[in-house]
Amino acid sequence: MNRRTFIQSGLLLCTQPFPLTGSTREQDYLMTVNGPVSADAAGFVLPHEHILVDFIGADQVTPSRYEVENVVAKALPFLKQVRERGCHTLVECTPAWLGRDVRLLQRLSAASGLHLLTNTGYYGAAREKFLPAHAYTESAGELAARWIQEWREGIEGTGIRPGFIKTGLDNAPLSEVQQKLVRAAALTHLETGLTIGVHTGNGLAALEELKIIRNEGVRPEAWIWIHAQNETDRAIHLEVARAGGWVSFDGLNDPSVAAYVRFLNDMKAAQQLHRVLISHDAGWYHVGEPDGGKYRSYDTVFTHLLPALEQEGFTPQDIDLIFRQNPAMAFAVRVRN
């Protein structure tokens, strides 16, 4: 099926998108805060963004620290803007104990016209400041049971189901509890088919994660190396990609566009463009700051990166692969063992 692509005022406009190919299957779907959508319907995806985050710490985080109406007023214009740019699906990566608010996400999804994904799992990075006390005392199986329950019954009595597993780790060597979080995520994947996204400190930590999930019987295709841009050794990027993992370069902003073009050129030259995810890690309403602090928009992909990639000779098929096919495959709910 043909597709016309052109850039006008920094906006990529697409008609007649290519059907998904590769590892996607007709029955593949993504789980949004409003229920499942087919992989094809996910459209253009930003796979790592935020809408609200509270850095107060797991022992003090509570929805009473912000007014929902203020958050909606702050976030909604940015969500509408990126939808008008051409984004269809935004993956919201704020985990439990860091400000996850699934009712808010459902409301913003309806108001913006975006598909939004939320998550289950715990965030063990930042020296484990955002872990609840039971994360230390419970086994990997017990933690997984909590996350599996959110998948089966919905999050916090809402009926809203997670679309992936989110956890976070510091640099290697991983602490005992951080290793346990990865094992719990692997066990959760085997029961739910949810993809494992791991905020990762460095490349050695990524390789340690890869070993753990493999030992639990999970294929690398079910795992996303979040913040791979923080690792400067491109050999590790390629090692992970060739193993089948997803290499997520997700801190894009205007000054970093040239670096992202180099990264994508390297992955394309190595024939690994089909293992890449790109996003901003942008937003968000900062709980505790006046008026939610500075909210960074989600539009650098459209205003800067896509024009730069066109100038570098990336084809419409390449763009379709990076922003439609790859994330649809990465977040498809399917057990990969």
Side-chain angles (χ1 to χ4, degrees):
M1 185 179 294
N2 294 326
R3 190 184 92 165
R4 292 188 298 107
T5 305
F6 61 95
I7 294 174
Q8 184 178 51
S9 301
L11 172 61
L12 180 76
L13 300 175
C14 309
T15 61
Q16 299 183 352
F18 294 112
L20 294 174
T21 59
S23 298
T24 55
R25 303 178 301 184
E26 185 176 352
Q27 68 270 32
D28 276 343
Y29 69 95
L30 282 64
M31 181 58 71
T32 78
V33 295
N34 290 310
V37 299
S38 71
D40 280 315
F44 193 107
V45 181
L46 291 177
H48 191 101
E49 309 294 348
H50 295 274
I51 291 174
L52 177 146
V53 182
D54 189 350
F55 291 112
I56 192 67
D59 57 340
Q60 299 179 66
V61 68
T62 170
S64 65
R65 284 177 36 81
Y66 57 90
E67 294 291 337
V68 169
E69 296 302 325
N70 293 342
V71 181
V72 170
K74 185 87 170 189
L76 186 56
F78 293 95
L79 298 173
K80 287 183 174 180
Q81 178 193 54
V82 75
R83 179 66 186 88
E84 291 168 359
R85 292 284 192 189
C87 180
H88 302 94
T89 300
L90 185 145
V91 181
E92 213 284 343
C93 291
T94 303
W97 307 98
L98 242 168
R100 180 188 66 176
D101 186 334
V102 298
R103 291 183 182 87
L104 170 68
L105 298 185
Q106 193 174 62
R107 177 174 171 181
L108 288 170
S109 175
S112 66
L114 285 167
H115 297 305
L116 296 179
L117 276 64
T118 189
N119 60 83
T120 191
Y122 293 165
Y123 184 87
R127 299 183 180 179
E128 301 159 15
K129 176 181 178 181
F130 306 105
L131 285 181
H134 64 256
Y136 294 92
T137 59
E138 293 185 354
S139 68
E142 289 170 325
L143 293 176
R146 290 177 179 269
W147 305 345
I148 293 166
Q149 183 178 19
E150 290 196 329
W151 167 250
R152 291 176 176 168
E153 301 179 11
I155 295 169
E156 299 168 355
T158 64
I160 298 169
R161 299 167 75 186
F164 67 107
I165 305 158
K166 170 70 183 292
T167 187
L169 313 174
D170 292 321
N171 290 347
L174 302 179
S175 70
E176 182 177 350
V177 71
Q178 290 175 349
Q179 293 175 23
K180 181 169 61 175
L181 293 176
V182 180
R183 290 197 301 273
L187 295 173
T188 303
H189 170 78
L190 292 172
E191 288 295 320
T192 66
L194 293 174
T195 298
I196 304 163
V198 186
H199 169 119
T200 301
N202 61 7
L204 294 179
L207 296 178
E208 191 172 347
E209 295 162 31
L210 184 57
K211 181 178 180 180
I212 293 170
I213 67 166
R214 279 174 156 168
N215 286 343
E216 296 294 335
V218 176
R219 296 206 319 267
E221 290 86 349
W223 164 68
I224 300 170
W225 172 9
I226 293 173
H227 303 329
Q229 72 272 7
N230 294 333
E231 176 55 61
T232 59
D233 187 348
R234 293 293 171 84
I236 300 181
H237 294 151
L238 294 177
E239 180 178 353
V240 166
R242 287 168 177 149
W246 295 101
V247 183
S248 184
F249 229 58
D250 45 40
L252 179 69
N253 54 30
D254 292 0
S256 67
V257 168
Y260 278 61
V261 171
R262 288 193 298 271
F263 167 73
L264 289 169
N265 269 323
D266 289 349
M267 296 298 277
K268 186 176 182 180
Q271 299 183 333
Q272 296 301 318
L273 201 61
H274 63 294
R275 306 311 307 170
V276 172
L277 299 173
I278 298 289
S279 210
H280 304 92
D281 193 19
W284 52 80
Y285 189 97
H286 296 72
V287 178
E289 295 186 15
D291 191 35
K294 180 176 174 58
Y295 202 110
R296 186 161 66 90
S297 68
Y298 312 104
D299 62 358
T300 297
V301 160
F302 299 96
T303 59
H304 290 70
L305 182 62
L306 291 176
L309 292 176
E310 186 187 46
Q311 290 180 356
E312 285 288 313
F314 280 72
T315 67
Q317 291 90 339
D318 293 332
I319 300 303
D320 200 77
L321 179 67
I322 296 166
F323 292 103
R324 291 187 73 255
Q325 297 188 47
N326 286 356
M329 286 187 282
F331 288 94
V333 180
R334 178 175 11 120
V335 175
R336 283 152 277 191
N337 56 10

